[in-house]
Amino acid sequence: MVKNIVACVGGGQLAQMLGQAGKGLEITLRSAAKPDSCAFSDCEPFVENLFDQENFTSFIKDVDIFTFESEHEGLEFSDKVLMNNVPIYPPADFVKIAGDRFLEKSYLSNLDIPTAPFELIDTELNIKELEIFLTDLFSSKTLSPNGLVVKTRHGGYDGKGQWVISNAHENDFNELSKEIHSVIKSPGCIVEGLIDFSLECSIIAARSTKGEFASWPLTRNEHQNSILRFSYSPILGLDNLEDLEIQAMHIAQTLCEQSNYIGTIAVECFVANNGLVVNEIAPRVHNSGHWTIEGSKTSQFEQHLRAITGMELGDTSCSGFSAMINLVGVEIDAKRFENQEGIFLHWYGKQVRKDRKVGHLTIIGSSIEQLNERTKKALELI
Ligand code: AMP
C-alpha cells in the first residue's frame, strides 16, 4: 500500500524540499511549520505547539509515517510517535547512534568501516587532569601525528563544539582545558586524531522498506569556516575515483543493511591516502545532496519519500555535471536568476543572518567547460 501522509517535525528548508518532492508523488507532508517557516507553503502546515499532548495527538492523526529534518527534533518526539503506533523512518535507534559521536564512531569501527582514531574523554577529569591528558595525547601522537580535534558527543554543527589542537597552532593547553572542561560531563566529549586528507566528500544513498538500495555518485564538498559552501558531482581529477566510488557504496550499503535503515542517508568522508575515512553520518536528506534536484533523475528528497512509503526507488542516474553553491548570510535579487539556463535558485524564505544558510543554487552543465562557465556566471549574479 502506498502511504500518503508523512509527518515531519520541523519546518525548515529540508522539510520545504521534502514537501515540494511530495507533490509529484501524491504524498502530503504535514509539517510543524509556522507561517514564517520555509516549509509553510509547500506542506500541510501544523502551527500549534507540538509539546502540548492534545496538539501532538492531532498532529499525528491519520499519519502513515513519521520522519524529521533534524535528528534532535526527531528523537525528541520519537516515544510519543511510537505510542501512537506510527512507524519512524529512519529508525530511531539508529538515529540515536548517529547523533552521538562516540556511539557513531564505535558503531563504524565495529563494522570495520574506517574512521578517525578516537577516544572518549573521561567525564570525571578535573581541569588539571584534562590538561595533562590532552598534552600527553598530543605529544605522544598516539591518535595521529597531525594533532587532535576534541568534539562534543552531541550537538555541535558547522564547526561549533570543536577544538582543534594541531602543530600549526600555538596550543595553550591550559586555556583549552578550561573551555573543554565545561562540557566534558554534558554533553560529553571525544577526542579524535586529525586526518590528513586531500578533499572531503559524501555519498548520498537510500534504502527502502522493501530493502532496495540506491546511491548517487560521490559529491565533493568544500567548507569555509566549517560551513558547507560548494558541492560538485561527479568528482573530477582523482585517479582512484572508481575505487573510492566502490568503497563509498560498500560503506553506505553496509550501514543501511546492518541498521535496517529506511530513508535517505548521507555519509561524509575524508579522502585520505588509503581511501575513504568516514567523518560523520547524517540519517536524513543532506545539504551535500541538494544538487540531485536538478542533477539527477530522482532527487534525494523524492527518494526519501519513496523509500519510507514503500514505493519503488527512483532512478539515480545523472547526466552531465552538477555544482551547488550555498547562499550563506547573503541577500540576493531573485529576478537576476530568472531564465538563466542551467542555473536554479532555491530560496528558503528565511530572514538573512550572518552564517545562516538562506538558499542555494544548483548549476548543471553537459560538459565541465559549460558547468564552469555557468558557475562563474552564477557567482557574478549573487
Ligand atoms: P564535523 O563537525 O565532524 O563535520 O567537522 C567539521 C569539519 O572539521 C570537517 O568538515 C573537517 O573539515 C574538519 N574535521 C573534523 N574532524 C576531523 C578530523 N578527524 N581530521 C581532520 N579534519 C577534521
Side-chain angles (χ1 to χ4, degrees), residues 101 149 151 162 192-195 197 200 223 270 279-280:
R101 290 193 166 89
V149 52
K151 299 180 180 178
Q162 291 197 10
E192 290 177 21
L194 278 180
I195 300 292
F197 60 86
E200 293 185 66
H223 301 82
F270 302 121
N279 180 37
E280 231 180 358

Side-chain angles (χ1 to χ4, degrees), residues 201-231:
C201 66
S202 52
I203 177 161
I204 316 289
R207 184 169 174 273
S208 75
T209 53
K210 296 189 175 128
E212 215 188 331
F213 175 87
S215 63
W216 287 267
L218 276 171
T219 301
R220 174 180 179 158
N221 299 319
E222 285 180 19
H223 301 82
Q224 284 168 11
N225 299 329
S226 299
I227 301 175
L228 180 69
R229 297 290 169 141
F230 303 100
S231 290

